[in-house]
Amino acid sequence: MKTIGAAKFKEQCLALLDRLEPEGLIVTKHGKPVARVIPYDRQCADLIGSLQSKIKIRGDIFTTGLRWDADAQS
């Protein structure tokens, strides 16, 4: 788990929260741990539809675009 000093955490708080890893981050003061920041556990249901207006589908997503015949011999 990564550690960071409190002063540096204060300076970079928003950026650190944007790229917070699953195991979290330990904030230290004078080399001693004082806090642990961990990501909030999101439910999988929250993710359903979260990319709705952010992804554009082009073509048929249910095919590779290649024709093949399973009965054909090479």
Side-chain angles (χ1 to χ4, degrees), residues 16-73:
L16 290 168
L17 293 177
D18 285 341
R19 50 190 157 90
L20 190 60
E21 295 177 1
E23 67 270 3
L25 178 70
I26 295 178
V27 181
T28 62
K29 267 188 159 178
H30 306 290
K32 296 181 181 177
V34 294
R36 182 171 154 200
V37 181
I38 57 173
Y40 184 76
D41 188 27
R42 293 183 60 183
Q43 297 295 326
C44 292
D46 294 343
L47 299 175
I48 296 173
S50 64
L51 298 175
Q52 184 173 0
S53 62
K54 298 175 179 137
I55 295 178
K56 292 185 181 192
I57 297 173
R58 296 181 185 186
D60 185 0
I61 62 171
F62 296 109
T63 181
T64 62
L66 301 174
R67 286 184 47 98
W68 65 279
D69 185 2
D71 295 328
Q73 297 177 5

